[in-house]
Amino acid sequence: MNAVCSEVEASGGDYASQQVRTAVCMFQRWIAEEFGLPDGEHIRFGHGLDEFDDATGAADTIRKIQAGVAVCQDVQLFWWADSRMEADRDAERVCWSLGVYFSTRSVSEF
């Protein structure tokens, strides 16, 4: 997840760049392979997260993953924008979700 979000951040706002597309698509492909999802199925970036709960003691980790999932979803929405206005709005969402993602990480993780 960190690698994907780092590529998005390093793109300097070019969320349609090859580096961003490669990182996001590789993550999507990993999800499909890890969970044995059929070809052609829409892959949710948060697939499988709903199986965890706070009782597992992983609430902090789940929150970090969910923040990264939001970045991937927002990038994908940016790709699917039908107008410049929609793309601009989606780009703002990507910036915001990146900020949330990096704020969930402690300094020791960098």
Side-chain angles (χ1 to χ4, degrees), residues 33-79:
E33 290 174 9
E34 185 68 22
F35 290 96
L37 302 176
D39 290 339
E41 180 175 321
H42 175 72
I43 308 300
R44 292 181 316 113
F45 291 103
H47 188 89
L49 278 179
D50 51 352
E51 297 173 15
F52 296 95
D53 59 28
D54 290 349
T56 63
D60 203 40
T61 300
I62 292 169
R63 186 173 41 82
K64 291 173 188 174
I65 294 170
Q66 288 170 331
V69 163
V71 172
C72 293
Q73 290 169 333
D74 290 342
V75 167
Q76 195 170 55
L77 287 174
F78 174 84
W79 294 344

